[in-house]
Amino acid sequence: MTDVPPATTAPADRGTAHGTPGPAEGPVSGDDPALRAAYRLCRRRTKDEDPAEYALIQLVPAALRPALHALWAAANALDDLGDDRTAPAAERAARVEAWITALHRELPTGSSPDPVRHALVDTANRWRLDLSELRDAMAQVRDDTHGRHFADWAEWRAWGRDNLLPWFGQVRTVFDRAGVPVALRLDTREAYEEFLDGVRLTDILTDLSADLAQGDLLLPAEALDLHPGSAADLVQRRWSPGVAALVTHLTGLARQWVAQATLTRGMHPGPATVLDTMAALLHAQLDAVDAAGPALLRSAPRPALPTRARILAPARARAALAWSLTPLTVPPRRHPGSQRPPAPALSAPTGTFLRPPPHPSGERPPGIPSGDLPAHVAVIMDGNGRWAQQRGLPRHEGHRAGADAVREVVHGALDIGLRHLTLYTFSTENWHRDPEEVDAILDLLRREMTENPFRDLDVRLRWHGRAGRLPPDLVDVLQLRERTTRARTGLTLTMCIDYGGRDELTRTAAALAGRARAGRLEPGLIAEDDFARHLPLADLPDVDLLWRTGGEQRVSNFLPWHTAYAELHFTPGLWPDTDRRDLWQAISAYTHRQRHHGATPAPPPSPSPSPADGSSAAHCSPAPAGGSGG
């Protein structure tokens, strides 16, 4: 029996895609022998190097296993390149970078001379995986070659989640493409991420001896400091009471994080069985870590075979039953000469980004010194519905056209060097619109986020708003875009979706009240800084320029805290007619304002020529919102 992609997916053949071995695991006529060998290599490496992972993959339908073996082997191949201490750090980083760059180049071709990448490229194309979501996780492996040190658990969690979540996301996408989405309820998302924290901590404890031999101590100082002397003892690979106490403390934490009873409630029994079995194997692994004692610093402990058998035997029976009742949708085999659209590439080689396409007119942004630019521009994108009605179209067509304007304005923000752009995308009040229009807006947002139009650009995407009323799959993709763009340093694009200013202030007041009730904050001493720190998106900077299209002149419950001293700019054009030149005009008008935030104005400058874009200045509000002293 071989684990290779199935030969056919006609409805009559779907029965072969269940968890029990069958024809779907047999030979694939017409497939490239090198590709078959590549998948066999990935399967063998998974089985030899991580028996627990291999056992878990055996719990999924046979048709899905090759994709999971390819993903595991690729992640492990990168780790091996980064961990090869026979080479200096710079050389290891270069090897990882070369591997990523080669993958970027090979994805559009559908092939690779490297067998692991060959299987990964084929998997991405067969299952329509967007491997650009792995870009930052792969880059992290490169950066880890120079060593990692964590001050606290927050840094450690960010590092671990940035690495694991994208790979687990690809596995979830494979299930989704097969017709068995691993849906997470909104109230289990933090549990899911905490579960992966437990996976990471268990791996670190298991591999402690190998990491220490390479000079790595991948634990936060916050944990080490609780047990004085443990860090020095570990570096010397010396078992001591402090190290013993530290290990007991960490295995306890890992057990707590892995024990997420609510995670699989309501989930399809197939994926639920895999996650429950994974948790049981992790608990067994933690038991082995606890029982190892001083041997933990010499070799990696493993659970006894009878222990694993007691966990896996009933899991196999449950999984076989669950999948036997589940029809799957499996990608068809590639017939000779047939073509399939290639999987999306990895954006660009790691560490580089493309420039946005130029404006069709060839016009370039005004040459404004960076110090004169607003740091943060917020936009109320008004007029989509009116634009459509003027053309006899349904309102949702206006929102579709508005999405094109969003891309244009983001390109303009990158062109001019703006640091923060925040868009009022869907307000809490928008739920009162016609349900058909609301559904169209949410579907459009889902498509835009899935298509990821800014994949190749240096854009960090953030989402501001509530999750409770949004479709879970939309929340999923929003959170994915946040995670996979977190390390980007160009434009920060914040999408306000199910956002309301009064709701934001109410939530902040509730957070302050909770801390005061817990005795962690003195109500009479609450200052503006305290309030700002408890905002739902506490690091969002104040808005310098608030721009509204559509001819209305109000702020509509948008960012009331952040716009307290914003300059206001109103223009009559409807949002779908907007392009990057309108953003440049708004910024140019801003640079001619005097901002003094309530202080005495500076003496007026000597007369100077009016800005070249006089039409933009005519749309500005007659007076700056500079406070009562203005």
Side-chain angles (χ1 to χ4, degrees):
M1 182 182 71
T2 60
D3 258 338
V4 291
T8 180
T9 57
D13 295 321
R14 286 183 179 177
T16 66
H18 298 316
T20 53
E25 293 185 283
V28 183
S29 60
D31 266 1
D32 180 359
L35 180 59
R36 290 174 49 77
Y39 275 111
R40 283 196 297 268
L41 174 66
C42 293
R43 177 178 181 267
R44 185 169 63 251
R45 283 191 178 179
T46 308
K47 185 176 183 179
D48 293 345
E49 299 176 27
D50 195 340
E53 183 69 25
Y54 180 79
L56 288 171
I57 294 176
Q58 291 299 103
L59 299 179
V60 310
L64 276 61
R65 294 175 196 165
L68 305 190
H69 290 145
L71 287 166
W72 183 91
N76 205 50
L78 271 178
D79 285 341
D80 287 347
L81 287 174
D83 290 340
D84 180 12
R85 296 310 172 101
T86 62
E91 184 177 337
R92 284 183 279 125
R95 290 175 181 175
V96 172
E97 181 67 22
W99 198 97
I100 299 169
T101 301
L103 178 63
H104 169 77
R105 184 176 60 250
E106 293 157 357
L107 273 169
T109 73
S111 184
S112 172
D114 178 272
V116 172
R117 289 201 305 271
H118 195 178
L120 180 63
V121 165
D122 184 75
T123 290
N125 281 286
R126 286 175 185 261
W127 293 93
R128 306 192 322 277
L129 303 182
D130 185 354
L131 295 191
S132 67
E133 296 166 0
L134 297 174
R135 170 180 170 159
D136 291 339
M138 291 179 173
Q140 186 190 85
V141 176
R142 176 202 61 202
D143 297 340
D144 285 349
T145 59
H146 300 288
R148 285 284 184 180
H149 301 281
F150 311 104
D152 51 31
W153 282 113
E155 285 186 12
W156 183 91
R157 285 190 184 93
W159 166 76
R161 294 179 182 185
D162 285 351
N163 181 266
L164 284 181
L165 280 166
W167 290 100
F168 274 76
Q170 296 296 319
V171 173
R172 289 177 60 193
T173 300
V174 170
F175 278 98
D176 183 65
R177 299 283 190 263
V180 189
V182 186
L184 296 174
R185 301 188 319 276
L186 294 174
D187 60 340
T188 64
R189 295 182 192 282
E190 181 58 33
Y192 173 63
E193 295 193 357
E194 199 165 82
F195 177 82
L196 295 186
D197 292 342
V199 173
R200 171 62 75 187
L201 185 53
T202 302
D203 285 346
I204 288 174
L205 291 171
T206 300
D207 297 334
L208 192 59
S209 59
D211 289 341
L212 291 173
Q214 296 178 160
D216 292 330
L217 183 53
L218 301 177
L219 296 169
E222 180 181 349
L224 297 168
D225 291 346
L226 293 175
H227 305 279
S230 61
D233 289 333
L234 284 172
V235 170
Q236 296 297 320
R237 305 182 72 181
R238 180 171 57 236
W239 189 261
S240 67
V243 169
L246 172 68
V247 170
T248 300
H249 170 66
L250 294 177
T251 54
L253 273 181
R255 285 192 178 88
Q256 175 185 329
W257 293 340
V258 167
Q260 301 290 344
T262 65
L263 187 57
T264 57
R265 287 179 189 168
M267 189 180 290
H268 182 283
T273 297
V274 175
L275 284 174
D276 288 340
T277 306
M278 187 177 184
L281 289 173
L282 288 167
H283 278 289
Q285 182 62 47
L286 291 167
D287 289 342
V289 169
D290 270 334
L296 182 66
L297 305 185
R298 297 192 298 272
S299 61
R302 299 295 177 191
L305 288 177
T307 301
R308 292 183 58 211
R310 283 196 300 271
I311 295 170
L312 291 172
R316 291 189 186 106
R318 291 196 304 273
L321 176 61
W323 296 120
S324 70
L325 303 173
T326 306
L328 299 176
T329 302
V330 181
R333 71 181 177 91
R334 291 177 298 175
H335 296 281
S338 65
Q339 295 293 326
R340 179 183 290 118
L346 291 178
S347 309
T350 307
T352 65
F353 295 97
L354 302 182
R355 294 293 306 165
H359 189 270
S361 70
E363 189 170 340
R364 298 296 302 160
I368 300 173
S370 59
D372 294 337
L373 290 172
H376 185 185
V377 174
V379 186
I380 301 174
M381 305 177 292
D382 195 13
N384 290 332
R386 283 178 283 157
W387 182 91
Q389 290 171 337
Q390 289 175 4
R391 289 159 176 77
L393 300 172
R395 288 178 61 88
H396 69 262
E397 287 298 321
H399 298 297
R400 183 196 57 75
D404 294 335
V406 167
R407 299 188 188 196
E408 252 296 292
V409 167
V410 170
H411 292 161
L414 287 165
D415 283 337
I416 203 169
L418 190 63
R419 304 297 299 171
H420 288 269
L421 177 67
T422 298
L423 305 179
Y424 206 1
T425 309
F426 187 84
S427 74
T428 52
E429 291 78 15
N430 287 155
W431 292 105
H432 301 305
R433 296 187 177 187
D434 182 89
E436 185 177 347
E437 182 179 357
V438 170
D439 288 344
I441 293 172
L442 297 179
D443 285 344
L444 177 63
L445 286 171
R446 186 186 296 107
R447 288 198 303 272
E448 284 291 296
M449 290 297 100
T450 301
E451 185 176 341
N452 195 11
F454 309 125
R455 176 190 297 115
D456 295 338
L457 307 178
D458 193 6
V459 176
R460 179 191 182 197
L461 184 67
R462 304 187 77 188
W463 162 45
H464 192 13
R466 280 186 174 271
R469 294 184 289 189
L470 295 174
D473 58 341
L474 175 57
V475 175
D476 254 349
V477 72
L478 286 168
Q479 292 179 332
L480 173 66
R481 295 292 169 249
E482 282 195 318
R483 289 194 305 270
T484 55
T485 62
R486 184 181 299 160
R488 300 188 180 189
T489 58
L491 173 70
T492 296
L493 174 63
T494 304
M495 310 285 286
C496 291
I497 303 175
D498 198 9
Y499 169 86
R502 288 183 174 179
D503 175 73
E504 177 182 35
L505 299 181
T506 301
R507 292 162 64 189
T508 305
L512 286 168
R515 288 184 63 85
R517 183 176 182 180
R520 301 167 70 181
L521 197 64
E522 176 57 46
L525 299 179
I526 293 176
E528 286 187 15
D529 287 348
D530 298 304
F531 195 93
R533 281 195 298 271
H534 289 80
L535 288 163
L537 206 59
D539 59 346
L540 186 70
D542 283 348
V543 174
D544 297 308
L545 174 62
L546 175 62
W547 170 31
R548 179 173 188 147
T549 63
E552 303 290 349
Q553 298 194 16
R554 57 180 182 272
V555 296
S556 296
N557 197 26
F558 185 40
L559 298 176
W561 180 269
H562 302 86
T563 58
Y565 284 99
E567 298 292 325
L568 306 181
H569 182 78
F570 302 107
T571 54
L574 304 179
W575 178 252
D577 293 325
T578 301
D579 70 16
R580 69 187 80 183
R581 294 173 298 180
D582 297 288
L583 173 69
W584 297 340
Q585 289 175 357
I587 291 174
S588 294
Y590 167 87
T591 63
H592 291 85
R593 306 281 186 94
Q594 287 190 48
R595 307 191 73 214
H596 41 81
H597 299 281
T600 303
S606 48
S608 59
S610 298
D613 56 289
S615 59
S616 172
H619 297 319
C620 300
S621 59
S628 59

